[in-house]
Amino acid sequence: MASTGVNVLRYSALLAGVSYGLYHQSNLNAQNHKAKVDRDFAHQASLITQAKAEFKKKNMPQDSVTKGGEVISDPNDPKFDLEGYLTALMGEKAK
């Protein structure tokens, strides 16, 4: 049978190995959890960006510009866009 000192050394090494294994496993789990949270956040951000683009495409007037690229300036026209007209007017004054 092995001496008492050798048994103490064996069990100390075993305890150290188990402790290191638990520590390493917890670090791996934390990294995995952080990566999953980052992926979920990026996915949600892309969904929000996509939803904003769809909302903008759905709600912005598409026909406020004529085929020649000029802004409709007749306020009686049903396709008249005041915001687009004022933006174009400000752009002309800035030049």
Side-chain angles (χ1 to χ4, degrees):
M1 183 143 186
S3 67
T4 308
V6 173
N7 282 339
V8 168
L9 185 61
R10 285 180 185 169
Y11 284 111
S12 297
L14 177 65
L15 182 63
V18 169
S19 299
Y20 174 74
L22 290 173
Y23 171 76
H24 188 66
Q25 184 66 33
S26 69
N27 281 344
L28 291 176
N29 286 340
Q31 289 174 354
N32 187 22
H33 179 69
K34 184 178 183 312
K36 183 181 182 309
V37 168
D38 290 342
R39 279 192 311 270
D40 290 344
F41 182 78
H43 179 66
Q44 287 178 350
S46 69
L47 288 177
I48 290 171
T49 304
Q50 182 182 5
K52 284 182 180 180
E54 290 294 324
F55 180 80
K56 184 176 181 182
K57 184 170 71 170
K58 179 181 175 186
N59 292 328
M60 293 298 287
Q62 297 294 326
D63 300 321
S64 64
V65 178
T66 63
K67 292 181 182 178
E70 300 172 356
V71 176
I72 298 173
S73 59
D74 181 18
N76 294 326
D77 191 342
K79 297 178 184 176
F80 178 70
D81 179 23
L82 180 63
E83 183 180 358
Y85 175 70
L86 292 176
T87 303
L89 190 63
M90 295 300 285
E92 290 176 3
K93 285 188 178 181
K95 290 181 181 179

PDB file of all heavy atoms in Angstrom, residues 23-45:
ATOM      1  N   TYR A  23     -13.874  25.118 -13.318  1.00  0.00           N
ATOM      2  CA  TYR A  23     -13.584  26.506 -13.667  1.00  0.00           C
ATOM      3  C   TYR A  23     -13.584  26.681 -15.186  1.00  0.00           C
ATOM      4  O   TYR A  23     -14.195  27.621 -15.719  1.00  0.00           O
ATOM      5  CB  TYR A  23     -12.226  26.917 -13.079  1.00  0.00           C
ATOM      6  CG  TYR A  23     -11.727  28.254 -13.546  1.00  0.00           C
ATOM      7  CD1 TYR A  23     -12.272  29.436 -13.046  1.00  0.00           C
ATOM      8  CD2 TYR A  23     -10.700  28.345 -14.489  1.00  0.00           C
ATOM      9  CE1 TYR A  23     -11.813  30.664 -13.478  1.00  0.00           C
ATOM     10  CE2 TYR A  23     -10.247  29.573 -14.926  1.00  0.00           C
ATOM     11  CZ  TYR A  23     -10.797  30.726 -14.415  1.00  0.00           C
ATOM     12  OH  TYR A  23     -10.350  31.945 -14.849  1.00  0.00           O
ATOM     13  N   HIS A  24     -12.920  25.786 -15.891  1.00  0.00           N
ATOM     14  CA  HIS A  24     -12.828  25.870 -17.345  1.00  0.00           C
ATOM     15  C   HIS A  24     -14.213  25.701 -17.988  1.00  0.00           C
ATOM     16  O   HIS A  24     -14.560  26.420 -18.937  1.00  0.00           O
ATOM     17  CB  HIS A  24     -11.851  24.813 -17.865  1.00  0.00           C
ATOM     18  CG  HIS A  24     -11.546  24.935 -19.316  1.00  0.00           C
ATOM     19  ND1 HIS A  24     -10.877  26.015 -19.844  1.00  0.00           N
ATOM     20  CD2 HIS A  24     -11.833  24.111 -20.357  1.00  0.00           C
ATOM     21  CE1 HIS A  24     -10.759  25.848 -21.145  1.00  0.00           C
ATOM     22  NE2 HIS A  24     -11.336  24.696 -21.487  1.00  0.00           N
ATOM     23  N   GLN A  25     -14.988  24.769 -17.489  1.00  0.00           N
ATOM     24  CA  GLN A  25     -16.335  24.550 -18.025  1.00  0.00           C
ATOM     25  C   GLN A  25     -17.223  25.772 -17.808  1.00  0.00           C
ATOM     26  O   GLN A  25     -17.999  26.153 -18.688  1.00  0.00           O
ATOM     27  CB  GLN A  25     -16.968  23.318 -17.372  1.00  0.00           C
ATOM     28  CG  GLN A  25     -18.322  22.952 -17.921  1.00  0.00           C
ATOM     29  CD  GLN A  25     -18.256  22.491 -19.367  1.00  0.00           C
ATOM     30  OE1 GLN A  25     -17.280  21.885 -19.795  1.00  0.00           O
ATOM     31  NE2 GLN A  25     -19.290  22.788 -20.124  1.00  0.00           N
ATOM     32  N   SER A  26     -17.100  26.412 -16.655  1.00  0.00           N
ATOM     33  CA  SER A  26     -17.911  27.614 -16.411  1.00  0.00           C
ATOM     34  C   SER A  26     -17.495  28.745 -17.341  1.00  0.00           C
ATOM     35  O   SER A  26     -18.343  29.509 -17.817  1.00  0.00           O
ATOM     36  CB  SER A  26     -17.816  28.048 -14.956  1.00  0.00           C
ATOM     37  OG  SER A  26     -16.533  28.532 -14.655  1.00  0.00           O
ATOM     38  N   ASN A  27     -16.191  28.868 -17.643  1.00  0.00           N
ATOM     39  CA  ASN A  27     -15.737  29.888 -18.595  1.00  0.00           C
ATOM     40  C   ASN A  27     -16.275  29.600 -19.993  1.00  0.00           C
ATOM     41  O   ASN A  27     -16.700  30.517 -20.711  1.00  0.00           O
ATOM     42  CB  ASN A  27     -14.210  29.954 -18.645  1.00  0.00           C
ATOM     43  CG  ASN A  27     -13.647  30.728 -17.477  1.00  0.00           C
ATOM     44  OD1 ASN A  27     -14.366  31.452 -16.802  1.00  0.00           O
ATOM     45  ND2 ASN A  27     -12.362  30.575 -17.234  1.00  0.00           N
ATOM     46  N   LEU A  28     -16.252  28.352 -20.412  1.00  0.00           N
ATOM     47  CA  LEU A  28     -16.777  27.995 -21.724  1.00  0.00           C
ATOM     48  C   LEU A  28     -18.273  28.283 -21.815  1.00  0.00           C
ATOM     49  O   LEU A  28     -18.757  28.795 -22.829  1.00  0.00           O
ATOM     50  CB  LEU A  28     -16.510  26.519 -22.027  1.00  0.00           C
ATOM     51  CG  LEU A  28     -15.044  26.129 -22.267  1.00  0.00           C
ATOM     52  CD1 LEU A  28     -14.938  24.626 -22.460  1.00  0.00           C
ATOM     53  CD2 LEU A  28     -14.474  26.864 -23.458  1.00  0.00           C
ATOM     54  N   ASN A  29     -19.002  27.971 -20.768  1.00  0.00           N
ATOM     55  CA  ASN A  29     -20.443  28.250 -20.748  1.00  0.00           C
ATOM     56  C   ASN A  29     -20.723  29.749 -20.805  1.00  0.00           C
ATOM     57  O   ASN A  29     -21.657  30.194 -21.477  1.00  0.00           O
ATOM     58  CB  ASN A  29     -21.098  27.641 -19.516  1.00  0.00           C
ATOM     59  CG  ASN A  29     -21.223  26.140 -19.624  1.00  0.00           C
ATOM     60  OD1 ASN A  29     -21.172  25.576 -20.707  1.00  0.00           O
ATOM     61  ND2 ASN A  29     -21.387  25.491 -18.486  1.00  0.00           N
ATOM     62  N   ALA A  30     -19.910  30.544 -20.091  1.00  0.00           N
ATOM     63  CA  ALA A  30     -20.087  31.993 -20.098  1.00  0.00           C
ATOM     64  C   ALA A  30     -19.804  32.559 -21.491  1.00  0.00           C
ATOM     65  O   ALA A  30     -20.543  33.443 -21.977  1.00  0.00           O
ATOM     66  CB  ALA A  30     -19.174  32.645 -19.069  1.00  0.00           C
ATOM     67  N   GLN A  31     -18.763  32.073 -22.161  1.00  0.00           N
ATOM     68  CA  GLN A  31     -18.453  32.528 -23.506  1.00  0.00           C
ATOM     69  C   GLN A  31     -19.571  32.154 -24.471  1.00  0.00           C
ATOM     70  O   GLN A  31     -19.959  32.947 -25.337  1.00  0.00           O
ATOM     71  CB  GLN A  31     -17.138  31.924 -23.997  1.00  0.00           C
ATOM     72  CG  GLN A  31     -15.915  32.484 -23.314  1.00  0.00           C
ATOM     73  CD  GLN A  31     -14.641  31.748 -23.718  1.00  0.00           C
ATOM     74  OE1 GLN A  31     -14.693  30.756 -24.432  1.00  0.00           O
ATOM     75  NE2 GLN A  31     -13.513  32.243 -23.247  1.00  0.00           N
ATOM     76  N   ASN A  32     -20.083  30.939 -24.330  1.00  0.00           N
ATOM     77  CA  ASN A  32     -21.171  30.487 -25.192  1.00  0.00           C
ATOM     78  C   ASN A  32     -22.426  31.344 -24.981  1.00  0.00           C
ATOM     79  O   ASN A  32     -23.097  31.732 -25.936  1.00  0.00           O
ATOM     80  CB  ASN A  32     -21.467  29.011 -24.917  1.00  0.00           C
ATOM     81  CG  ASN A  32     -22.454  28.426 -25.884  1.00  0.00           C
ATOM     82  OD1 ASN A  32     -22.635  28.942 -26.981  1.00  0.00           O
ATOM     83  ND2 ASN A  32     -23.098  27.351 -25.477  1.00  0.00           N
ATOM     84  N   HIS A  33     -22.725  31.639 -23.725  1.00  0.00           N
ATOM     85  CA  HIS A  33     -23.894  32.460 -23.409  1.00  0.00           C
ATOM     86  C   HIS A  33     -23.722  33.872 -23.980  1.00  0.00           C
ATOM     87  O   HIS A  33     -24.666  34.439 -24.559  1.00  0.00           O
ATOM     88  CB  HIS A  33     -24.111  32.517 -21.901  1.00  0.00           C
ATOM     89  CG  HIS A  33     -25.268  33.368 -21.500  1.00  0.00           C
ATOM     90  ND1 HIS A  33     -26.577  33.019 -21.754  1.00  0.00           N
ATOM     91  CD2 HIS A  33     -25.315  34.575 -20.885  1.00  0.00           C
ATOM     92  CE1 HIS A  33     -27.374  33.970 -21.301  1.00  0.00           C
ATOM     93  NE2 HIS A  33     -26.628  34.923 -20.769  1.00  0.00           N
ATOM     94  N   LYS A  34     -22.531  34.450 -23.840  1.00  0.00           N
ATOM     95  CA  LYS A  34     -22.273  35.800 -24.358  1.00  0.00           C
ATOM     96  C   LYS A  34     -22.391  35.812 -25.880  1.00  0.00           C
ATOM     97  O   LYS A  34     -22.976  36.739 -26.458  1.00  0.00           O
ATOM     98  CB  LYS A  34     -20.889  36.282 -23.949  1.00  0.00           C
ATOM     99  CG  LYS A  34     -20.599  37.701 -24.368  1.00  0.00           C
ATOM    100  CD  LYS A  34     -19.226  38.135 -23.903  1.00  0.00           C
ATOM    101  CE  LYS A  34     -18.909  39.573 -24.240  1.00  0.00           C
ATOM    102  NZ  LYS A  34     -19.172  39.984 -25.570  1.00  0.00           N
ATOM    103  N   ALA A  35     -21.877  34.794 -26.549  1.00  0.00           N
ATOM    104  CA  ALA A  35     -21.974  34.723 -28.002  1.00  0.00           C
ATOM    105  C   ALA A  35     -23.438  34.606 -28.431  1.00  0.00           C
ATOM    106  O   ALA A  35     -23.857  35.218 -29.427  1.00  0.00           O
ATOM    107  CB  ALA A  35     -21.166  33.548 -28.528  1.00  0.00           C
ATOM    108  N   LYS A  36     -24.233  33.845 -27.691  1.00  0.00           N
ATOM    109  CA  LYS A  36     -25.652  33.693 -28.023  1.00  0.00           C
ATOM    110  C   LYS A  36     -26.392  35.017 -27.833  1.00  0.00           C
ATOM    111  O   LYS A  36     -27.214  35.401 -28.677  1.00  0.00           O
ATOM    112  CB  LYS A  36     -26.288  32.621 -27.137  1.00  0.00           C
ATOM    113  CG  LYS A  36     -27.742  32.343 -27.473  1.00  0.00           C
ATOM    114  CD  LYS A  36     -28.324  31.296 -26.552  1.00  0.00           C
ATOM    115  CE  LYS A  36     -29.742  30.947 -26.874  1.00  0.00           C
ATOM    116  NZ  LYS A  36     -30.656  32.052 -26.999  1.00  0.00           N
ATOM    117  N   VAL A  37     -26.092  35.729 -26.769  1.00  0.00           N
ATOM    118  CA  VAL A  37     -26.726  37.028 -26.532  1.00  0.00           C
ATOM    119  C   VAL A  37     -26.343  37.998 -27.644  1.00  0.00           C
ATOM    120  O   VAL A  37     -27.197  38.749 -28.146  1.00  0.00           O
ATOM    121  CB  VAL A  37     -26.318  37.571 -25.141  1.00  0.00           C
ATOM    122  CG1 VAL A  37     -26.713  39.029 -24.982  1.00  0.00           C
ATOM    123  CG2 VAL A  37     -26.954  36.737 -24.041  1.00  0.00           C
ATOM    124  N   ASP A  38     -25.069  38.005 -28.052  1.00  0.00           N
ATOM    125  CA  ASP A  38     -24.634  38.884 -29.130  1.00  0.00           C
ATOM    126  C   ASP A  38     -25.329  38.535 -30.445  1.00  0.00           C
ATOM    127  O   ASP A  38     -25.728  39.431 -31.195  1.00  0.00           O
ATOM    128  CB  ASP A  38     -23.111  38.806 -29.311  1.00  0.00           C
ATOM    129  CG  ASP A  38     -22.359  39.437 -28.156  1.00  0.00           C
ATOM    130  OD1 ASP A  38     -22.964  40.215 -27.391  1.00  0.00           O
ATOM    131  OD2 ASP A  38     -21.149  39.140 -28.010  1.00  0.00           O
ATOM    132  N   ARG A  39     -25.460  37.245 -30.742  1.00  0.00           N
ATOM    133  CA  ARG A  39     -26.152  36.829 -31.963  1.00  0.00           C
ATOM    134  C   ARG A  39     -27.624  37.260 -31.921  1.00  0.00           C
ATOM    135  O   ARG A  39     -28.157  37.759 -32.923  1.00  0.00           O
ATOM    136  CB  ARG A  39     -26.078  35.312 -32.140  1.00  0.00           C
ATOM    137  CG  ARG A  39     -24.795  34.813 -32.714  1.00  0.00           C
ATOM    138  CD  ARG A  39     -24.901  33.355 -33.127  1.00  0.00           C
ATOM    139  NE  ARG A  39     -25.466  32.476 -32.115  1.00  0.00           N
ATOM    140  CZ  ARG A  39     -24.784  31.829 -31.192  1.00  0.00           C
ATOM    141  NH1 ARG A  39     -23.469  31.947 -31.150  1.00  0.00           N
ATOM    142  NH2 ARG A  39     -25.389  31.051 -30.319  1.00  0.00           N
ATOM    143  N   ASP A  40     -28.267  37.077 -30.786  1.00  0.00           N
ATOM    144  CA  ASP A  40     -29.671  37.474 -30.652  1.00  0.00           C
ATOM    145  C   ASP A  40     -29.836  38.987 -30.819  1.00  0.00           C
ATOM    146  O   ASP A  40     -30.767  39.455 -31.478  1.00  0.00           O
ATOM    147  CB  ASP A  40     -30.235  37.042 -29.298  1.00  0.00           C
ATOM    148  CG  ASP A  40     -30.412  35.539 -29.185  1.00  0.00           C
ATOM    149  OD1 ASP A  40     -30.391  34.859 -30.235  1.00  0.00           O
ATOM    150  OD2 ASP A  40     -30.558  35.048 -28.041  1.00  0.00           O
ATOM    151  N   PHE A  41     -28.918  39.749 -30.234  1.00  0.00           N
ATOM    152  CA  PHE A  41     -28.978  41.202 -30.349  1.00  0.00           C
ATOM    153  C   PHE A  41     -28.778  41.636 -31.801  1.00  0.00           C
ATOM    154  O   PHE A  41     -29.505  42.501 -32.301  1.00  0.00           O
ATOM    155  CB  PHE A  41     -27.925  41.858 -29.452  1.00  0.00           C
ATOM    156  CG  PHE A  41     -27.966  43.357 -29.492  1.00  0.00           C
ATOM    157  CD1 PHE A  41     -28.938  44.050 -28.791  1.00  0.00           C
ATOM    158  CD2 PHE A  41     -27.050  44.070 -30.245  1.00  0.00           C
ATOM    159  CE1 PHE A  41     -28.988  45.432 -28.834  1.00  0.00           C
ATOM    160  CE2 PHE A  41     -27.096  45.445 -30.304  1.00  0.00           C
ATOM    161  CZ  PHE A  41     -28.068  46.127 -29.594  1.00  0.00           C
ATOM    162  N   ALA A  42     -27.815  41.035 -32.487  1.00  0.00           N
ATOM    163  CA  ALA A  42     -27.569  41.375 -33.887  1.00  0.00           C
ATOM    164  C   ALA A  42     -28.778  41.010 -34.746  1.00  0.00           C
ATOM    165  O   ALA A  42     -29.151  41.757 -35.663  1.00  0.00           O
ATOM    166  CB  ALA A  42     -26.316  40.667 -34.390  1.00  0.00           C
ATOM    167  N   HIS A  43     -29.401  39.877 -34.447  1.00  0.00           N
ATOM    168  CA  HIS A  43     -30.592  39.464 -35.198  1.00  0.00           C
ATOM    169  C   HIS A  43     -31.737  40.452 -34.969  1.00  0.00           C
ATOM    170  O   HIS A  43     -32.425  40.850 -35.916  1.00  0.00           O
ATOM    171  CB  HIS A  43     -30.997  38.053 -34.787  1.00  0.00           C
ATOM    172  CG  HIS A  43     -32.206  37.543 -35.484  1.00  0.00           C
ATOM    173  ND1 HIS A  43     -32.236  37.295 -36.836  1.00  0.00           N
ATOM    174  CD2 HIS A  43     -33.445  37.264 -35.023  1.00  0.00           C
ATOM    175  CE1 HIS A  43     -33.439  36.871 -37.168  1.00  0.00           C
ATOM    176  NE2 HIS A  43     -34.196  36.839 -36.081  1.00  0.00           N
ATOM    177  N   GLN A  44     -31.933  40.862 -33.723  1.00  0.00           N
ATOM    178  CA  GLN A  44     -32.993  41.825 -33.431  1.00  0.00           C
ATOM    179  C   GLN A  44     -32.712  43.161 -34.099  1.00  0.00           C
ATOM    180  O   GLN A  44     -33.627  43.811 -34.619  1.00  0.00           O
ATOM    181  CB  GLN A  44     -33.143  42.012 -31.928  1.00  0.00           C
ATOM    182  CG  GLN A  44     -33.798  40.836 -31.235  1.00  0.00           C
ATOM    183  CD  GLN A  44     -33.893  41.022 -29.729  1.00  0.00           C
ATOM    184  OE1 GLN A  44     -33.309  41.941 -29.173  1.00  0.00           O
ATOM    185  NE2 GLN A  44     -34.614  40.137 -29.081  1.00  0.00           N
ATOM    186  N   ALA A  45     -31.444  43.583 -34.108  1.00  0.00           N
ATOM    187  CA  ALA A  45     -31.087  44.844 -34.754  1.00  0.00           C
ATOM    188  C   ALA A  45     -31.347  44.774 -36.256  1.00  0.00           C
ATOM    189  O   ALA A  45     -31.841  45.736 -36.850  1.00  0.00           O
ATOM    190  CB  ALA A  45     -29.622  45.179 -34.490  1.00  0.00           C
TER     191      ALA A  45
END
